[in-house]
Amino acid sequence: MSLVVIAECLAQPGLEDRLRTALEAMIEPSMEEPGCLAYRPYADPNRPARMVIVEEWTDAAALAEHFTTAHFGHVKHVLDLVLAEPMTIRRLTGAGDATS
């Protein structure tokens, strides 16, 4: 059963490009990780300071390993500097998976 993660970020005014750059830099190294099935940031066209990252991992262990990587450590430092509020993270499984 795979795990889908939706992470929502809101940049401080004037730091939208820095947030976008940091999240885009996460795509390649994250996709190279064992267990990463998808990693894609999206920007809200009506509110450019708001970005969402949609990720899919083979399981919770793969996601936990992601949080220990150097590239995640770097982006966490950048996010601490540019976010207007704490990031919101939702972990989801398929609706059929939750009831079985």
Side-chain angles (χ1 to χ4, degrees):
M1 154 175 71
S2 69
L3 178 64
V4 174
V5 175
I6 300 173
E8 298 182 48
C9 303
L10 179 65
Q12 295 179 47
L15 298 178
E16 299 86 357
D17 286 341
R18 190 158 180 205
L19 173 60
R20 183 176 296 102
T21 299
L23 296 180
E24 288 174 351
M26 288 290 291
I27 297 169
E28 187 175 332
S30 296
M31 289 299 300
E32 291 175 356
E33 290 180 53
C36 184
L37 303 172
Y39 194 97
R40 174 96 190 217
Y42 295 89
D44 183 335
N46 298 311
R47 192 173 180 197
R50 181 159 311 275
M51 295 194 72
V52 174
I53 306 99
V54 179
E55 311 169 32
E56 186 173 5
W57 299 89
T58 53
D59 54 31
L63 177 61
E65 185 64 27
H66 171 66
F67 293 141
T68 69
T69 63
H71 55 274
F72 184 83
H74 173 75
V75 81
K76 183 179 180 326
H77 174 72
V78 173
L79 294 178
D80 288 344
L81 298 173
V82 303
L83 292 183
E85 59 189 38
M87 180 176 11
T88 301
I89 299 175
R90 283 187 242 141
R91 299 168 193 226
L92 308 167
T93 58
D97 297 335
T99 58
S100 353

